Amino acid sequence: MGKQSRARVLAGHQAMAVARNIRVSPRKLNLVAQQIRGKKVDNALNVLTFSQKRIAGVVKKTLQSAIANAENNHDLDVDDLVVKEASVGKNLVMKRFHARARGNAGGIEKFFSQITIVVEEKREEKTEEAKPTASSKKSGGKAAAKKTSAKKPAAKKAKKEAA
């Protein structure tokens, strides 16, 4: 008799990964998380790969974990994944002290944080606006013929005036 499994928190087209006890302040981690919110996962991975921030490697590893969860656990298409949410939270704070003058102590706080990345499958419907339909080809051809016929007399007049 084991423990009952929890109900799924996310929708069927979403997957999640969490990294806890990351040794950086939440404020600094949020700067990196802002860069990937709402982007497609391949673009987000490129941003994290070439980021100058030290913590970008940990965020990239967490994003790759979320992508793997989506692919293996939920059978989602990796090409259609988008970073829906990249939320940063506080974790524990280590308190240390630094010796100061005349026997005093200055407090030092070493912050830890956590990041939760949720990826979502968004299918992009291919629109057929780029392809002209048969009726627009016919009307486009007539309009083009009218335009060229209208330009010919003007060009002939210009040649006659120049001569």
Side-chain angles (χ1 to χ4, degrees):
M1 293 184 56
K3 192 162 82 169
Q4 296 237 342
S5 62
R6 281 183 29 198
R8 186 162 157 74
V9 177
L10 300 173
H13 59 285
Q14 295 177 345
M16 179 175 72
V18 179
R20 291 189 171 91
N21 292 329
I22 302 171
R23 182 58 189 91
V24 69
S25 70
R27 194 168 167 181
K28 291 178 185 175
L29 184 59
N30 195 35
L31 293 174
V32 177
Q34 277 180 328
Q35 294 177 335
I36 63 169
R37 285 188 188 118
K39 292 190 176 181
K40 291 183 66 80
V41 291
D42 54 344
N43 293 340
L45 285 171
N46 286 336
V47 167
L48 293 173
T49 301
F50 297 108
S51 176
Q52 295 292 317
K53 302 283 187 183
R54 174 186 64 89
I55 205 62
V58 176
V59 176
K60 181 181 176 186
K61 195 171 178 182
T62 308
L63 179 59
Q64 288 172 334
S65 176
I67 294 167
N69 289 342
E71 184 179 12
N72 297 323
N73 299 345
H74 306 297
D75 296 326
L76 301 179
D77 187 17
V78 176
D79 297 329
D80 295 333
L81 290 179
V82 175
V83 179
K84 180 180 184 237
E85 180 183 327
S87 60
V88 175
K90 289 165 82 172
N91 213 313
L92 65 99
V93 177
M94 284 195 312
K95 294 186 177 170
R96 300 291 183 257
F97 73 92
H98 189 269
R100 307 300 294 174
R102 303 175 76 182
N104 291 329
I108 297 174
E109 292 182 333
K110 298 189 176 198
F111 294 99
F112 284 72
S113 55
Q114 68 181 34
I115 185 165
T116 304
I117 297 179
V118 177
V119 292
E120 179 179 43
E121 185 179 36
K122 282 193 178 177
R123 296 198 184 275
E124 292 183 7
E125 300 297 326
K126 300 199 175 168
T127 58
E128 306 230 358
E129 295 172 9
K131 296 180 182 178
T133 59
S135 62
S136 64
K137 283 183 182 176
K138 291 178 185 176
S139 64
K142 290 178 185 176
K146 288 179 185 176
K147 289 178 185 176
T148 54
S149 63
K151 289 181 182 178
K152 285 181 183 176
K156 287 180 183 178
K157 287 181 187 177
K159 286 182 182 178
K160 288 179 184 177
E161 290 174 7

